[in-house]
Amino acid sequence: MVEPELITRRDRPLGRLTLNRPEALGALTTGMCEGMIAALQAWRGDPAAVAVVIDHAGPRGFCAGGDIRTLADSAAGDGVVALNFFRTEYQLDALIAAHPTPVITVMDGVVMGGGVGISLPARYRIATERTRFAMPETGIGLFPDVGAGWFLPKLPGRTGLWIALTGARLAAADCLHLGLATHVVESARLDELKAALATAPDAIDVVLTEFKFDPGHPPIAYQEADIDRLFAGDDLEAIFAALAYDDSEWAKAQLAAMAPKSPLSAKVGFRLIAGGLAPKSLAADLQVEYRLAARLVLRPDFREGVRAVIVDKDNAPAWSPARLAEVSDALVDEMFAPLPPDQEWTPLPEA
């Protein structure tokens, strides 16, 4: 019997959405996004559905992103499948943010890319001691998306930009400190927590307080001053220069993390997070991000990034353009330009 990629069910007053691709670290497919949209729309008008829990099957990770190989295969052709995925994924993210029923996302294990997209719009975001949160998209020729242009600029200081440019992995304490997570619960108690929520879904805050777990001191707290100082530049070149000039081991590590990324993707990420775009809503940001996704997924860097990082795993991508200095402002402008009206992204009517 073939297991469904998404398990949709009701647990008394709780709606339950479980990502069921443990072998792929919960990577999202278009069908999974469509299934979550259908369930959320159905529960929206159901007075007996008091809250929704999004979690995952298996011990390794909540969601490592989208199904990258499928997207890369599509991008090698006409890109229709890839663009449909981004359109649907972003509609799901916007729907979660606008849903009148509280959504509780369990960010246990790996939370990257698409996993971030179905986590940050949720009202409650539960991390565990196994949480590893990251946005590494510039390393495969894409950009920090799924609402990054809305959420990351709101983080303290320049931490949102640092996350986007370095692909840094954050544990539970850092996620709680920055507001990426609202609560931390021990992974061993998650089943107990979900059972308690099903019993008292109208008392979510009380239940979560009872399961509160102290993740310890957030390591990022020691680096916030360095992040704000070294990532304060008005452009990406200034940040690279500041890191290169600083002789600390931490600065060297950030420089090493950023150096292998796609120059075009990094410049797009910088403008999205620190370029002063100031979108008026998550939906407005997702419209801009869809323009970027529609263009970047069809450029050579995406296919080359997937080859180097995921397929051949030689970690030696040949980017085009190859250097930051070769990425003109005009090229970045082109990535952000509006699409033809009939190709623009729009949220679902309910969102």
Side-chain angles (χ1 to χ4, degrees):
M1 179 178 176
V2 178
E3 287 281 330
E5 294 181 337
L6 175 72
I7 300 172
T8 303
R9 64 202 185 282
R10 286 287 291 274
D11 185 359
R12 289 163 285 182
L14 277 188
R16 295 288 302 276
L17 297 171
T18 300
L19 310 183
N20 191 35
R21 297 188 72 205
E23 76 290 346
L25 287 179
L28 297 178
T29 64
T30 301
M32 293 166 73
C33 294
E34 290 172 340
M36 285 188 273
I37 287 172
L40 289 168
Q41 288 175 323
W43 293 332
R44 185 186 188 98
D46 183 353
V50 180
V52 176
V53 171
I54 305 176
D55 60 6
H56 72 286
R60 295 176 58 206
F62 171 61
C63 179
D67 191 332
I68 294 297
R69 286 178 182 259
T70 297
L71 297 180
D73 288 344
S74 173
D78 59 14
V80 170
V81 169
L83 297 188
N84 185 49
F85 170 76
F86 285 113
R87 183 178 297 276
T88 307
E89 179 190 28
Y90 294 178
Q91 287 177 334
L92 170 62
D93 299 341
L95 183 60
I96 291 172
H99 206 266
T101 302
V103 177
I104 307 161
T105 301
V106 183
M107 301 162 52
D108 178 42
V110 176
V111 184
M112 298 182 184
V116 174
I118 57 176
S119 297
L120 294 190
R123 191 178 307 180
Y124 298 93
R125 303 175 297 280
I126 302 170
T128 75
E129 79 284 356
R130 301 189 299 196
T131 296
R132 294 297 180 269
F133 178 105
M135 302 200 75
E137 293 84 359
T138 57
I140 56 168
L142 287 179
F143 68 102
D145 66 334
V146 293
W150 173 251
F151 293 110
L152 294 190
K154 294 177 171 58
L155 298 187
R158 302 288 271 192
T159 52
L161 180 62
W162 170 73
I163 289 169
L165 294 180
T166 64
R169 296 195 177 198
L170 305 179
D174 288 332
C175 290
L176 187 66
H177 176 72
L178 294 176
L180 297 167
T182 59
H183 299 80
V184 179
V185 174
E186 285 185 280
S187 60
R189 300 193 69 192
L190 286 176
D191 288 343
E192 184 186 354
L193 169 66
K194 294 167 196 175
L197 289 170
T199 302
D202 54 348
I204 297 171
D205 292 288
V206 174
V207 171
L208 287 172
T209 298
E210 293 172 353
F211 283 81
K212 181 179 178 180
F213 173 74
D214 182 2
H217 189 80
I220 196 173
Y222 296 112
Q223 305 299 160
E224 283 180 301
D226 289 328
I227 291 172
D228 291 348
R229 175 174 59 88
L230 295 171
F231 284 76
D234 292 333
D235 55 36
L236 195 54
E237 287 86 349
I239 292 174
F240 269 91
L243 289 168
Y245 183 77
D246 193 282
D247 61 359
S248 69
E249 291 303 314
W250 186 86
K252 293 175 184 176
Q254 308 320 299
L255 197 60
M258 291 168 57
K261 312 299 188 187
S262 158
L264 175 58
S265 295
K267 283 205 169 182
V268 164
F270 179 91
R271 183 178 294 187
L272 182 69
I273 308 305
L277 300 183
K280 296 188 182 329
S281 65
L282 172 60
D285 170 63
L286 289 170
Q287 184 178 64
V288 172
E289 292 185 11
Y290 182 77
R291 296 168 183 168
L292 297 171
R295 293 185 171 106
L296 287 172
V297 78
L298 296 178
R299 288 186 62 86
D301 272 9
F302 175 56
R303 298 190 296 279
E304 174 63 6
V306 172
R307 180 207 64 76
V309 176
I310 296 173
V311 179
D312 297 338
K313 298 182 180 178
D314 60 19
N315 294 308
W319 301 124
S320 178
R323 299 183 301 117
L324 283 180
E326 297 170 0
V327 180
S328 67
D329 289 343
L331 178 56
V332 178
D333 290 343
E334 183 182 327
M335 298 300 102
F336 278 85
L339 294 166
D342 62 337
Q343 296 177 28
E344 288 279 21
W345 179 89
T346 55
L348 297 165
E350 298 88 345

